[in-house]
Amino acid sequence: MDQENSSVDPRSGFNSVTRIFHSLRLPIDLPPEDTPMSAAAYSLSLRNNSQSPCPDSLALINSATGQRVSYSEFTRKTQSLTSYLRSVTGLSKGDTAFILSQNLVQVPILYFSLLSLGVVISPANPISTDSEISWLVRLCNPVIAFATSSTAHKLPTFRFKTILLDSPEFDSMTISPVQKLDRVEVCQSDLAAIMYSSGTTGKVKGATLTHRNLMAVVAVSCANRMKRESPDMLLYTVPYFHVFGLSYCLKSVALNEAQVVMERFDLRKMLRAVEEFRVTHVALAPPVVVRMAKSDVIDGYDLSSLEGVTSGGAPLGKDVIAAFVARFPSVVFVQGYGVTEAAGGMFITAGKEESLHWGSAGRLAGGFEAKIVDPDTGDHGLPPGSQGELWIKGPSIMKGYVGDPEATSATLVGADGTWLRTGDLCYIDKEGFLFVADRLKELIKYKGNQVPPAELEQLLQSHPEIVDAAVIPYPDEEAGEVPMAFVVRQPRSNLAGPEIMDFVAKQVAPYKKIRRVAFVTSIPKSAAGKILRKDLRKLLPPTSSRL
Ligand SMILES: CC(C)(COP(=O)(O)OP(=O)(O)OC[C@H]1O[C@@H](n2cnc3c(N)ncnc32)[C@H](O)[C@@H]1OP(=O)(O)O)[C@@H](O)C(=O)NCCC(=O)NCCSC(=O)/C=C/c1ccc(O)cc1
């Protein structure tokens, strides 16, 4: 054993020489980097290599209509669509496609087609406003869009047209004859997706992920899979337009799982779907766990098929997990930690024993390294139990933010720019479990959705009766956090909280709405003009008006 390995603590993974945490799990299995392969081909190859998967096993179910798509149909539809988009529409490798859709069975088919063609996918939240969408479109510069009959009106025109996923036209593309064309060679290092995130500060940015980045998160999920005899039946309440949903959609194919697709989240409909389709696993964000743990709504549903629940996207309190586990004692409660800039989860609890570490986001995945960095002194490599900013290195880390070298170099750091600063204040305990304690980054998480304060502050400052404003997270039991504004009014202004909330609500997607307002005489700022959010937090709970 060399000196470096012998310095690694076998319980926490902390190397006392390099001061880096190493994964104690088995390394993930990825093909050599120079083998041409798309993330879609990788997922399909894992499925095909698994113990003789039945071609007619279920791939997708529409939870509302019961429409089923088997894996053989899924493959046929994907191939037909790929061929159509290439030979008729004229899409080619390197083009970008903007996608504006709620969760539909058509979305995984579209993702697999575009990825196998080498077309970069860029999905966004369909409840975004027109102005939010025009910002995203400017970032990713698409040649085509895929939308639905309810979202298409928000889009500008593109070089190619906008195709409606819920149209007979799209259905016919998925059954059109497959043309004999040369294979498109997609390299693992090619761009696969542009996913939206506000990162540690500022406005929304486009995180660029390669095929290999996506393959790495699929490999992580496969490594942590709980073994079962028959294929799993999964229900995702998490949207396909976030990395949580995107990475889970890819891993479900790799693991031959069936995905029960819900168009819009509704707790009763979700419970009915679990009962009707004998769902074994659900992936969801903390607000749904809170409701499952505490609401009477679950009474009367047969949820006996449930074996596992995965929660991610935002932290979850220990008391909620305790209430959940008391209600569902036979369900393994899996917690994970992931960020858009790393294509999904890098920490996860594996198996029943690890899941008992309530409040922890799990242990580091195989192939990853982590560092805890003191945010005040910059001291790299704090030991187990010490709190600091979490930095991560590994095969799923993004290439950068599209068209934003400044934000990229502030986020991808270290001598070779391979360490990702997460902006989360965390500690890793003596057994290697991650605990997220607080946030350094300027971000609000409303129901697991990112709300960048800078965007709301800009809007508030555009109001003629507002002199200055700052927005911070305010704790909320169900949503996790809600955006709260501190506002300095013009001297003689009588502007009231509800008017301010209404002014912002008209311009943003519903999850970004300001839900609390407090009036102050000045916004605390550093000498350099940076808002001192910590000082604002000290003012809580303020005299405020609530929506
Ligand atoms: C199912 C949730 C929890 C709740 O649904 P909802 O209550 O309908 O809320 P929405 O977020 O859909 O919509 C927000 C608001 O917009 C409203 N809305 C909605 N659609 C409309 C409409 N068409 N018209 C008008 N109003 C509307 C909706 O009613 C709601 O209003 P309000 O009641 O005031 O909150 C939903 O918020 C949700 O899926 N959140 C999860 C988001 C999420 O996936 N985040 C993860 C980001 S990626 C990440 O962090 C990765 C982590 C990860 C971790 C571990 C891993 O292993 C891998 C990955």
Side-chain angles (χ1 to χ4, degrees), residues 115 120-121 188-196 206-214 217 242-243 246-247 339-344 395-401:
L115 289 171
V120 181
I121 59 171
Q188 294 179 47
S189 56
D190 288 337
L191 204 56
I194 299 175
M195 306 298 286
Y196 298 103
T208 55
L209 302 170
T210 63
H211 286 267
R212 189 162 177 91
N213 292 154
L214 295 177
V217 285
H242 281 155
V243 285
L246 166 64
S247 62
V339 291
T340 304
E341 289 78 356
S396 71
I397 306 295
M398 66 164 181
K399 291 297 148 249
Y401 293 115

Side-chain angles (χ1 to χ4, degrees), residues 16 76 139 156-157 162 175 328 347 389 478 495 499 516:
S16 54
R76 262 201 318 274
L139 286 177
T157 46
T162 291
I175 50 171
F328 300 98
F347 283 83
E389 185 182 9
E478 198 204 324
L495 194 63
E499 287 172 77
R516 277 182 172 252

Side-chain angles (χ1 to χ4, degrees), residues 241-453:
F241 54 80
H242 281 155
V243 285
F244 200 172
L246 166 64
S247 62
Y248 268 51
C249 155
L250 288 162
K251 76 101 189 173
S252 273
V253 172
L255 292 172
N256 192 34
E257 296 165 347
Q259 300 172 54
V260 179
V261 183
M262 270 186 70
E263 199 167 305
R264 187 167 167 193
F265 174 73
D266 174 286
L267 186 60
R268 283 178 201 277
K269 286 187 184 156
M270 181 193 94
L271 298 169
R272 205 175 311 131
V274 171
E275 182 176 86
E276 184 178 350
F277 303 111
R278 305 295 299 156
V279 168
T280 58
H281 294 81
V282 288
L284 33 79
V288 187
V289 183
V290 172
R291 294 185 60 193
M292 284 181 78
K294 298 191 171 172
S295 155
D296 293 339
V297 172
I298 67 157
D299 297 339
Y301 291 95
D302 174 5
L303 306 178
S304 58
S305 58
L306 261 191
E307 295 173 16
V309 164
T310 304
S311 170
L316 192 57
K318 266 188 186 176
D319 58 325
V320 177
I321 305 173
F324 183 93
V325 172
R327 240 183 188 187
F328 300 98
S330 61
V331 174
V332 176
F333 190 81
V334 181
Q335 274 210 269
Y337 172 89
V339 291
T340 304
E341 289 78 356
M346 301 113 351
F347 283 83
I348 195 145
T349 55
K352 186 136 197 156
E353 204 184 302
E354 288 191 10
S355 77
L356 298 176
H357 289 249
W358 296 348
S360 159
R363 283 172 157 156
L364 193 56
F368 287 80
E369 294 172 339
K371 259 202 259 202
I372 301 290
V373 178
D374 188 314
D376 300 319
T377 63
D379 178 11
H380 283 221
L382 298 180
S386 302
Q387 193 170 299
E389 185 182 9
L390 175 68
W391 289 18
I392 300 170
K393 187 175 186 166
S396 71
I397 306 295
M398 66 164 181
K399 291 297 148 249
Y401 293 115
V402 62
D404 198 337
E406 211 176 295
T408 301
S409 57
T411 307
L412 294 177
V413 292
D416 48 1
T418 50
W419 283 97
L420 172 77
R421 291 184 58 180
T422 65
D424 283 316
L425 269 182
C426 303
Y427 68 91
I428 296 175
D429 75 4
K430 289 196 166 114
E431 291 176 84
F433 285 91
L434 177 79
F435 290 82
V436 181
D438 203 347
R439 202 177 288 144
L440 279 172
K441 59 188 166 197
E442 293 168 5
L443 181 71
I444 301 161
K445 282 234 167 161
Y446 177 80
K447 296 186 174 178
N449 296 298
Q450 290 193 349
V451 184

Side-chain angles (χ1 to χ4, degrees), residues 67-103:
Q67 175 209 356
R68 286 163 154 80
V69 179
S70 68
Y71 269 103
S72 57
E73 285 170 304
F74 176 78
T75 312
R76 262 201 318 274
K77 283 175 185 286
T78 304
Q79 284 168 349
S80 290
L81 182 62
T82 308
S83 172
Y84 185 96
L85 292 175
R86 195 174 163 205
S87 59
V88 183
T89 313
L91 280 185
S92 51
K93 185 180 151 178
D95 285 340
T96 297
F98 190 68
I99 301 158
L100 198 65
S101 173
Q102 57 275 34
N103 280 8

Side-chain angles (χ1 to χ4, degrees), residues 509-528:
Y511 65 90
K512 291 185 189 164
K513 285 196 282 194
I514 286 175
R515 291 170 199 255
R516 277 182 172 252
V517 174
F519 294 105
V520 286
T521 49
S522 65
I523 301 292
K525 293 202 176 141
S526 70

